[in-house]
Amino acid sequence: MSSSPVKVGLLGLGVVGGGTWKVLARNAQEIARRAGRNIEIVAVAVRDVPKARQMVGEDVLVTRDAFEVVRHPDIDIVVELIGGDTLAHDLVMEAIQQGKHVVTANKALLAKHGNEVFAAAHAKGVMVAFEAAVAGGIPIIKAIREGLSANRIQWLAGIINGTTNYILSEMRMKGLSFAEALADAQRLGYAEADPTFDIEGVDAAHKLTLLASLAFGIPVQFDKAYTEGISNLASEDIDHAERLGYRIKLLGITRRRETGIELRVHPALVPMERLLANVEGAMNAVQVYGDAVGGTLYYGQGAGELPTASAVVADLVDVTRLLAADPEHRVPHLAFQPDAMDDIPILPMSEVLSSYYLRLRVEDRPGVLADLARILADCEISIGSMFQEPHSVNDADIIFLSHQAREGAVDLAMEKIRTLPFVKSEVTRLRVENLL
Ligand code: NDP
Ligand code: HSE
């Protein structure tokens, strides 16, 4: 084992930064046995210096100037745990220019600027490791990038936002309100600094964008991801789904089709017997289907202090082991060699294939169902099942579950249905994912 420790500069000592400090301290020997050297945090950047001092003591440089850490000549690896895509972007780019390796949990940064960051790192011969950026403590990046490298990956689907999964679980199982469940998720350290990123599906889309690049060898294209969150989800749809044998989950799905790649985040009905339907609380799970291996599933804590720190420290160990390796012999950042990336188009939502749940309120009189069925048939949407529930003396709620259809056809059917005189509500549309 080398006697000289690897020197680390830590940017941020919040939920994940604090966890990283704790895990490195409590498992120092075990980690050194794996890495071949001690890994030592020598500098920390924060806003609140006295608070940080209480955690790290007097022997570590603590500064409000994160660039001081990034430019510190003794530091080999910069760990960026500040978040956001402005200051963090400048810090990571500067670290790379300084020839330092980077570890980050920042999916927002990489989803928006990943192509630039990885190109700069490649040119400089440094590593940018980001296991903690997707699914917290689950080593999903390593699994896709290395473990599944024999496969032509067909699709992956996952619960990749702990906050929204926690909210949906608490609402369904404990009857908490949306606001109560969100406040709990924030208190437990799961939520982003701006929780609308979680609730509106943006955080999941950041992560999905990275997973799609790793799975298919395509550039990072967050701007082309379809993003729909859980803020408009009605509790009656959660109840109806349950009665129909489904659970509603916020899913990130990316799938290879003949004409391109689907890249989408939205709530979806998942059959109750699927493992993904039974992932509760802040747990995450990702199902990956490769042509050789078939289906695989990765499950674990997707957010929070120590689980995320587990991934950060694993990256630190990886980088430490590879410090002396020729850059050409390292695993490529996005799994595929940079000159072998493929610009397969991301499909617009109108081309996506899914099954659908449609709910609407109608006047309860003869001919209504026939007219609705005619519109669906004209749009080439086949009905899988249907049920009707009385709402009042004159009105009923109708729910259709369709077979697989093109989303553009469903848009058209909804447009036509809205104009029918007996329709008394907006048409609620949710996707149904059978995960086969
Ligand atoms: P926190 O808000 O808990 O921590 C942010 C840290 O950054 C704080 O220590 C803060 O300092 C420091 N900081 C903020 N601005 C500056 C600045 N201008 N200069 C120096 N330091 C600054 O965030 P998290 O730990 O939750 O998240 C960090 C990153 O990890 C984000 O990219 C997030 O998306 C990602 N992530 C988070 C997960 C989680 O479960 N929380 C899971 C996976 C990824 P101070 O303490 O003094 O205010
Ligand atoms: N806010 C994120 C989540 C943190 O809830 O999943 C983990 O990336």
Side-chain angles (χ1 to χ4, degrees):
M1 200 154 87
S2 164
S3 54
S4 67
V6 170
K7 300 210 166 147
V8 174
L10 192 55
L11 312 181
L13 199 63
V15 175
V16 185
T20 300
W21 174 268
K22 287 181 198 166
V23 171
L24 271 176
R26 83 178 188 197
N27 294 343
Q29 279 193 335
E30 200 78 349
I31 290 164
R33 284 173 61 213
R34 290 199 167 101
R37 294 166 77 174
N38 287 323
I39 298 176
E40 195 181 304
I41 295 174
V42 297
V44 171
V46 288
R47 286 174 300 202
D48 185 339
V49 171
K51 191 177 88 188
R53 270 264 167 258
Q54 285 182 359
M55 183 179 282
V56 304
E58 296 301 322
D59 297 337
V60 173
L61 167 73
V62 180
T63 173
R64 287 178 60 86
D65 179 7
F67 285 95
E68 188 186 347
V69 175
V70 163
R71 295 181 182 132
H72 196 297
D74 293 346
I75 285 172
D76 307 299
I77 307 172
V78 171
V79 180
E80 185 280 306
L81 299 172
I82 286 179
D85 60 10
T86 49
L87 174 64
H89 168 267
D90 296 348
L91 290 166
V92 164
M93 293 305 286
E94 179 64 15
I96 292 168
Q97 290 319 315
Q98 295 281 328
K100 313 226 187 264
H101 305 283
V102 174
V103 172
T104 180
N106 193 334
K107 54 271 172 161
L109 167 69
L110 294 180
K112 285 173 91 172
H113 302 292
N115 299 323
E116 178 196 4
V117 168
F118 296 131
H122 182 67
K124 266 290 189 185
V126 297
M127 293 171 266
V128 176
F130 55 103
E131 186 63 70
V134 182
I138 307 174
I140 185 65
I141 290 177
K142 204 169 194 59
I144 295 176
R145 191 161 53 185
E146 299 176 44
L148 299 180
S149 58
N151 288 265
R152 183 174 162 84
I153 293 177
Q154 310 288 5
W155 58 269
L156 67 83
I159 294 169
I160 46 179
N161 181 267
T163 301
T164 42
N165 203 52
Y166 180 87
I167 292 172
L168 291 174
S169 295
E170 294 291 288
M171 287 172 72
R172 188 177 59 77
M173 297 195 295
K174 297 191 190 152
L176 290 195
S177 71
F178 189 99
E180 286 168 325
L182 171 59
D184 280 355
Q186 287 180 291
R187 189 176 43 75
L188 291 164
Y190 303 147
E192 295 302 301
D194 176 355
T196 55
F197 275 51
D198 297 293
I199 294 159
E200 299 305 342
V202 178
D203 176 72
H206 287 151
K207 295 165 177 166
L208 184 71
T209 301
L210 294 170
L211 290 179
S213 293
L214 292 159
F216 304 123
I218 55 173
V220 180
Q221 296 165 82
F222 170 67
D223 55 331
K224 298 201 182 124
Y226 173 78
T227 305
E228 183 184 317
I230 62 166
S231 58
N232 292 325
L233 202 55
S235 57
E236 60 187 301
D237 291 317
I238 299 177
D239 296 342
H240 286 315
E242 193 90 4
R243 272 194 288 146
L244 292 165
Y246 295 87
R247 213 153 265 164
I248 298 185
K249 295 288 180 189
L250 183 73
L251 289 187
I253 302 169
T254 184
R255 191 183 280 269
R256 196 196 285 271
R257 299 275 183 201
E258 267 174 30
T259 48
I261 283 171
E262 295 181 359
L263 187 62
R264 50 194 173 101
V265 170
H266 51 70
L269 279 76
V270 179
M272 239 178 241
E273 63 273 18
R274 297 280 181 278
L275 289 165
L276 277 189
N278 295 285
V279 172
E280 302 293 0
M283 302 305 279
N284 279 194
V286 183
Q287 196 171 344
V288 186
Y289 194 92
D291 67 336
V293 71
T296 60
L297 183 70
Y298 309 85
Y299 170 80
Q301 298 200 57
E305 186 189 28
L306 298 184
T308 313
S310 163
V312 171
V313 175
D315 273 350
L316 277 171
V317 171
D318 256 5
V319 173
T320 301
R321 284 172 174 155
L322 291 169
L323 277 176
D326 179 344
E328 294 306 315
H329 296 149
R330 294 179 188 141
V331 182
H333 291 112
L334 288 174
F336 291 72
Q337 298 297 337
D339 60 0
M341 299 294 276
D342 200 351
D343 214 354
I344 311 169
I346 304 294
L347 293 171
M349 272 312 274
S350 58
E351 294 302 315
V352 155
L353 294 175
S354 181
S355 302
Y356 292 87
Y357 161 107
L358 301 174
R359 175 176 61 81
L360 64 159
R361 182 158 299 159
V362 293
E363 281 175 39
D364 194 1
R365 61 172 166 79
V368 163
L369 255 186
D371 286 356
L372 290 171
R374 170 56 41 216
I375 288 180
L376 294 174
D378 287 348
C379 295
E380 299 194 345
I381 298 164
S382 167
I383 300 168
S385 60
M386 172 265 157
F387 84 86
Q388 176 173 334
E389 192 176 63
H391 170 70
S392 62
V393 185
N394 298 319
D395 297 341
D397 287 336
I398 292 187
I399 291 169
F400 291 105
L401 289 179
S402 82
H403 290 304
Q404 195 172 70
R406 210 173 44 80
E407 178 128 340
V410 177
D411 290 339
L412 182 61
M414 286 172 64
E415 221 171 272
K416 291 184 177 185
I417 289 172
R418 275 187 204 111
T419 64
L420 296 172
F422 55 74
V423 171
K424 305 188 90 175
S425 72
E426 192 32 81
V427 184
T428 296
R429 178 251 307 271
L430 290 166
R431 297 161 192 95
V432 181
E433 294 296 332
N434 290 310
L435 302 175
L436 293 171

